[in-house]
Amino acid sequence: VIVDLGWVAGTEFVVGLGCSLVMLTVSAVQNRARKRQQPLQARAAEALAAWLAGGKEEPAAALRALPRSQQAEILMSLGSKLDGEAVSRLQQLAAQLGVTGYAQRSLASGRWWARLRAARYFSSLRVVPEGLHRLLQDANSLVRAEAVTIACASRQPEHVEQAALQLFDPPSLARFACQVNLPRAGAVAGQELAKLLANPPGDPLLALRVAGALREPAMTPGALACSHHEQPATRAAAAELLGQLGGPEAIARLQQMLSQDAAPEVQAAAAQALGTLNHWEVCGPLASMLQSPAWQVRYAAACALRKLGPPGELFLRKYADGEAEPSKTMAQFALQAPGLR
Amino acid sequence: MPDLSWLETLILIYFLIVNTFYGLVLLAAGSELTREQREIVWDTGWRILGAKTYPRISIVAPAYNEEASVVDAVKALLGHHYPEIEVVVVDDGSKDRTLEVLRENFHLVEVPPIYDKTIKTAELLHLYHSSRYPQLKVVAKANGGKADALNLGLQIAGGDLLCVIDADTLLEPEALLKLLRPFLESDQVVAAGGSICAVNGSEVSPSRVVSPAVPRSFLPGVQTVEYLRAFLLGRLGLNRWGANLIISGAFGLFRRDAVLATGGYAADTVGEDMELVVRLRRHGLDNNGPHEVVFIPDPVAWTEVPTSWKVLGRQRDRWQRGLCDSLWRHAKLALRPRYGAVGWIGYPYQLVVELISPLVEALGWLLLVLSLLFGDVNTPFAIQFLLVAYGYGLVLTVLAIAMEQSCFPRRHKLRDLLWLLWWGLVEPIGFRQFLVYHRLMGIINWFRGKHSWGKMERTGFRKTGA
């Protein structure tokens, strides 16, 4: 009330009207630019696709008609879908257009979003930039995530080794990128993970989960060591990995975990792993777990018995026909459920 | 300056506080949107699609008398861009042909119901798996309300994350990939939500929005603007301060273990979505566990908004009762240092801005009418005051539209933009007062202990070529 309300209202209407006009103008200009750019973009994309498919005509001229950001976008959209020789040609073209050089310079920028854009460009085109090790230690976790993707795609041991360490970082997108991309690095990542599991610099929970996607026999000693970890979640992940690796040592340890571990989630994971291994000699211990007070253990044991086929089903029938609960209900459900096997 | 009574002064002070807060929220939303835009530029979410390790997502969609739209909605859910999705549709004892329609379209086979019964719910009648879509489960249960259906669904589901979505809501294909990001960035996140837009007037084919458009009829039109402002300003701004207390019941992603640990949805409230989020935050903060709730503006869920005044009134009445209930149950959150931004910003915002505003507005209108009747009114001052309030709301609306247009331009046609501005202009006249009345009735009904949901009527989506 100490100000003139009429003046305030007037200002508001002017601001509202001004913003509306600016927005409408910008929108109209953008629509016009979009209409103008669309044929150019389509022509450049077509020329590029034809060239990659073996055409003679160089697409550089068509791409140069576009702003650099759009050149990069077209190159990236194709780069992420191609492989082998086609990607190499794309990389050469990008270098020729100057897009790669520009992205390389952007990596040194003080603005994290400029580094992020550049890192995304390199990861889409699968080019290893200079100073990847610095990028893997970037303060921004999104930039690190892209660096991890580049490192894993390169399959070079020194880069993969540094990338794998992100698994022990605090939760971030970089850690998840590592989780997703390490399996794509294949045997190199398997070797690095085996080393890390044997001598983990932190809680190996995530490393164990990723290791399951790679299944290198060299991981067995590490997985066995991790199965004694103080955290139940980590022991459960170790049991899962042992179930994927197999072998007499793994089976012996899994049986021990099934009967002796105090945590239900570990017992359940061990039961599931034994079912995966198709080791029918464990039917007896698994069936006894149908009496466990923990639902997840009973369920995992029932699923494992179904997976073991006729020997397991024999035990399930015995419990289903018996009187003791809760094993009776679980065994009956397991026998009726079509999707458990 | 005119002479003001103490009541008028109080209303004026309230007006200043609320609008100052709106201004701050606008600034925070702008800053949050800038960060968000920088993070998503050139992002390629495709990488997760070929991944071998990822969080499993279970979508739980409660359906009650959704015969008209349930098939389209389920098809859209099954077609999401994510490596492994489990879809659990819970038919909450529908009285129409919802279950039959699902059976006919998805080749359902009955299976024994094996699940860990940790939360008590109404009786599970049948559990079906689809023989055509292995990732689809349909649960038929006795009617117990939306919260009860969600509780059963979350126990049947097996994913790490739980996506809760109304059966008549359509998600953009990459919505889940986008909403997943906060969970990957931090293990402190318990829930994340995206924007909700009105689908009325847009073209849908076969279960996706192919041509978003601004509704041309009054009620859906003004609600489009209202939703846009609420999500892009309110939730985004509060997100900047870590003070979000609401994830829309129409579309949200939750950590399943956290929801189970807090006992699932409260079945004795009509605002179960807000109540759960507040409880998750409180539980996390009390136990030094994960407690963050994140709002991301880009992933969009499209939902049908009410087209009749009657249904809209019932909906807002229910929302207000839900708000009252959640704030009452968790009153201990208010102004406690241990609850940080939730206690100092989130809770007071919901209380002062969302809960009390209809009371104050109604009082203001009543005073104006009485003053006009008794000739005791300073007409120029009253007009100027109304114009200031109207103008301020208009500026906020225009800025919200501008933010959406510059960051997520879904509607490219200038005509649509003009319609949005038009609805922004007319929204405060009539529609706002209608909402004030029903929100006020919601508060009164909450005091009277009314717990019913009220009937929602769906017309189904407008299909291409239809």
Side-chain angles (χ1 to χ4, degrees):
Chain A
V1 189
I2 44 176
V3 291
D4 182 357
L5 287 181
W7 181 85
V8 175
T11 311
E12 284 171 352
F13 282 99
V14 169
V15 170
L17 190 68
C19 288
S20 303
L21 285 176
V22 168
M23 179 172 58
L24 289 170
T25 313
V26 169
S27 183
V29 170
Q30 278 177 343
N31 278 351
R32 220 174 134 193
R34 198 177 296 120
K35 274 184 193 156
R36 212 176 38 235
Q37 293 286 342
Q38 264 168 356
L40 294 176
Q41 283 175 356
R43 204 174 305 146
E46 273 170 32
L48 187 58
W51 178 67
L52 287 168
K56 295 267 163 58
E57 200 183 331
E58 281 271 336
L63 280 161
R64 280 205 180 96
L66 297 168
R68 190 172 276 153
S69 65
Q70 285 180 19
Q71 290 176 20
E73 275 177 49
I74 290 177
L75 292 167
M76 286 169 71
S77 68
L78 275 172
S80 58
K81 295 178 185 82
L82 297 172
D83 221 336
E85 176 63 20
V87 171
S88 308
R89 292 182 73 191
L90 209 61
Q91 291 168 351
Q92 282 166 13
L93 179 68
Q96 188 192 328
L97 288 167
V99 185
T100 305
Y102 179 72
Q104 183 66 54
R105 287 192 295 280
S106 298
L107 283 183
S109 169
R111 293 169 303 168
W112 64 265
W113 56 93
R115 295 199 301 278
L116 179 63
R117 268 165 66 114
R120 280 182 176 154
Y121 167 81
F122 282 112
S123 92
S124 285
L125 256 67
R126 277 159 283 170
V127 174
V128 178
E130 287 169 27
L132 178 60
H133 61 283
R134 271 202 318 274
L135 218 54
L136 280 162
Q137 290 162 353
D138 198 281
N140 186 288
S141 80
L142 295 171
V143 178
R144 283 206 308 281
E146 294 301 328
V148 164
T149 311
I150 301 168
C152 292
S154 78
R155 300 192 176 192
Q156 291 167 17
E158 68 273 21
H159 295 323
V160 175
E161 183 186 357
Q162 210 186 343
L165 287 173
Q166 300 279 342
L167 286 175
F168 298 90
D169 260 21
S172 67
L173 212 60
R175 201 172 81 159
F176 180 71
C178 194
Q179 189 182 330
V180 167
N181 287 294
L182 267 183
R184 291 180 181 144
V188 184
Q191 300 299 329
E192 288 306 327
L193 276 177
K195 278 192 254 170
L196 284 171
L197 287 177
N199 195 12
D203 187 347
L205 174 66
L206 209 58
L208 285 162
R209 287 189 184 151
V210 177
L214 287 157
R215 299 178 198 181
E216 281 283 323
M219 292 168 180
T220 306
L224 286 168
C226 293
S227 71
H228 295 280
H229 197 272
E230 59 185 21
Q231 290 296 328
T234 308
R235 293 202 299 279
E240 212 175 304
L241 179 59
L242 287 171
Q244 284 160 329
L245 295 172
E249 284 170 304
I251 290 171
R253 177 68 189 129
L254 284 170
Q255 275 184 283
Q256 211 177 20
M257 290 167 99
L258 179 73
S259 54
Q260 291 171 13
D261 203 293
E265 62 181 298
V266 181
Q267 286 184 308
Q272 219 171 349
L274 286 166
T276 312
L277 285 170
N278 242 323
H279 187 66
W280 64 267
E281 286 92 334
V282 294
C283 281
L286 277 175
S288 67
M289 285 298 140
L290 289 171
Q291 287 286 16
S292 167
W295 184 89
Q296 64 186 116
V297 178
R298 293 200 301 278
Y299 180 69
C303 290
L305 286 168
R306 272 301 296 272
K307 275 187 190 157
L308 291 172
E313 282 165 18
L314 205 66
F315 276 90
L316 280 173
R317 261 187 226 109
K318 186 184 143 195
Y319 277 88
D321 294 340
E323 291 301 319
E325 286 289 3
S327 56
K328 181 184 165 83
T329 314
M330 184 55 82
Q332 281 175 344
F333 276 146
L335 283 168
Q336 288 164 19
L340 277 186
R341 187 186 282 267
Chain B
M1 183 179 143
D3 290 333
L4 297 172
S5 71
W6 65 270
L7 199 57
E8 287 165 333
T9 314
L10 216 62
I11 292 173
L12 207 64
I13 289 170
Y14 175 82
F15 174 82
L16 283 173
I17 290 172
V18 167
N19 285 310
T20 307
F21 202 85
Y22 277 141
L24 292 173
V25 165
L26 174 73
L27 291 176
S31 146
E32 187 73 352
L33 204 58
T34 309
R35 185 189 60 81
E36 180 75 20
Q37 281 298 102
R38 285 173 176 164
E39 282 190 2
I40 61 173
V41 72
W42 288 0
D43 190 13
T44 44
W46 58 271
R47 283 190 193 94
I48 199 172
L49 297 176
K52 289 181 179 170
T53 55
Y54 44 80
R56 287 167 303 150
I57 295 181
S58 295
I59 304 181
V60 176
Y64 180 70
N65 294 346
E66 309 276 3
E67 179 189 345
S69 54
V70 75
V71 173
D72 280 344
V74 173
K75 279 184 182 163
L77 296 180
L78 290 166
H80 273 290
H81 292 188
Y82 197 76
E84 196 180 307
I85 287 181
E86 178 189 47
V87 177
V88 181
V89 181
V90 186
D91 176 38
D92 189 29
S94 295
K95 288 175 185 147
D96 66 356
R97 293 186 69 253
T98 302
L99 188 60
E100 282 72 27
V101 163
L102 285 168
R103 268 206 215 121
E104 286 159 14
N105 284 276
F106 298 104
H107 300 256
L108 302 181
V109 179
E110 189 164 358
V111 294
I114 310 178
Y115 69 100
D116 193 6
K117 292 171 194 164
T118 49
I119 303 168
K120 206 176 163 192
T121 62
E123 191 191 354
L124 187 155
L125 304 172
H126 305 283
L127 175 64
Y128 300 95
H129 282 198
S130 166
S131 58
R132 185 170 284 181
Y133 304 93
Q135 68 275 42
L136 174 65
K137 290 176 184 171
V138 174
V139 186
K141 68 180 278 288
N143 183 259
K146 187 180 174 188
D148 194 65
L150 287 169
N151 281 339
L152 185 57
L154 80 93
Q155 292 177 88
I156 296 284
D160 306 306
L161 299 173
L162 185 77
C163 176
V164 176
I165 179 169
D166 282 348
D168 64 330
T169 298
L170 298 176
L171 294 188
E172 285 183 351
E174 296 199 337
L176 282 177
L177 278 177
K178 289 173 183 170
L179 204 55
L180 180 71
R181 211 183 63 206
F183 293 92
L184 306 178
E185 284 175 354
S186 164
D187 60 359
Q188 290 300 302
V189 176
V190 283
S195 301
I196 310 287
C197 284
V199 75
N200 309 49
S202 301
E203 282 188 8
V204 176
S205 172
S207 9
R208 300 234 165 97
V209 177
V210 285
S211 176
V214 178
R216 304 295 194 252
S217 47
F218 180 76
L219 264 189
V222 289
Q223 285 177 87
T224 302
V225 172
E226 191 202 8
Y227 276 46
L228 203 150
R229 204 178 41 224
F231 283 98
L232 270 188
L233 294 187
R235 299 215 184 154
L236 199 58
L238 289 174
N239 200 52
R240 181 73 183 166
W241 299 318
N244 249 331
L245 282 180
I246 303 181
I247 295 289
S248 169
F251 176 41
L253 199 57
F254 297 84
R255 265 177 70 158
R256 197 170 76 95
D257 58 352
V259 179
L260 283 170
T262 51
Y265 285 88
D268 57 348
T269 178
V270 286
E272 74 294 323
D273 43 2
M274 181 181 182
E275 200 282 332
L276 176 71
V277 174
V278 181
R279 189 149 38 88
L280 280 170
R281 296 212 72 162
R282 189 176 169 184
H283 184 264
L285 287 162
D286 279 341
N287 299 291
N288 288 326
H291 61 271
E292 288 173 14
V293 171
V294 179
F295 170 75
I296 295 192
D298 185 23
V300 161
W302 299 87
T303 193
E304 224 187 310
V305 295
T307 48
S308 85
W309 291 95
K310 203 171 151 189
V311 176
L312 178 70
R314 280 201 295 249
Q315 183 196 53
R316 298 313 165 97
D317 178 308
R318 176 167 54 80
W319 285 5
Q320 198 68 13
R321 279 183 284 137
L323 176 69
C324 291
D325 210 34
S326 300
L327 294 182
W328 174 252
R329 283 171 193 235
H330 300 283
K332 281 187 178 169
L333 282 172
L335 307 177
R336 295 274 178 97
R338 65 186 295 196
Y339 295 117
V342 175
W344 287 106
I345 303 170
Y347 192 98
Y349 171 82
Q350 296 298 336
L351 183 73
V352 176
V353 179
E354 298 293 342
L355 185 77
I356 298 178
S357 65
L359 286 169
V360 180
E361 259 188 75
L363 198 64
W365 287 111
L366 188 72
L367 278 181
L368 186 70
V369 172
L370 287 177
S371 307
L372 284 170
L373 282 176
F374 296 106
D376 182 25
V377 65
N378 181 333
T379 312
F381 176 77
I383 291 171
Q384 282 178 0
F385 182 76
L386 283 175
L387 282 175
V388 168
Y390 178 72
Y392 194 73
L394 206 62
V395 170
L396 290 179
T397 303
V398 169
L399 289 173
I401 297 170
M403 276 161 75
E404 198 222 19
Q405 195 57 24
S406 64
C407 297
F408 317 109
R410 292 184 182 88
R411 305 168 183 103
H412 290 308
K413 289 179 191 157
L414 263 184
R415 206 184 305 145
D416 277 325
L417 210 52
L418 285 168
W419 272 105
L420 268 183
L421 288 171
W422 167 248
W423 294 132
L425 266 175
V426 298
E427 182 219 0
I429 308 160
F431 176 74
R432 196 177 163 87
Q433 291 72 27
F434 173 82
L435 293 190
V436 166
Y437 170 74
H438 282 282
R439 288 169 69 195
L440 198 60
M441 288 312 292
I443 297 172
I444 294 166
N445 285 332
W446 179 74
F447 274 111
R448 288 162 57 189
K450 187 181 169 190
H451 288 296
S452 74
W453 262 64
K455 199 180 165 201
M456 273 295 281
E457 282 148 20
R458 307 285 188 197
T459 53
F461 305 120
R462 183 162 75 96
K463 308 214 169 164
T464 317

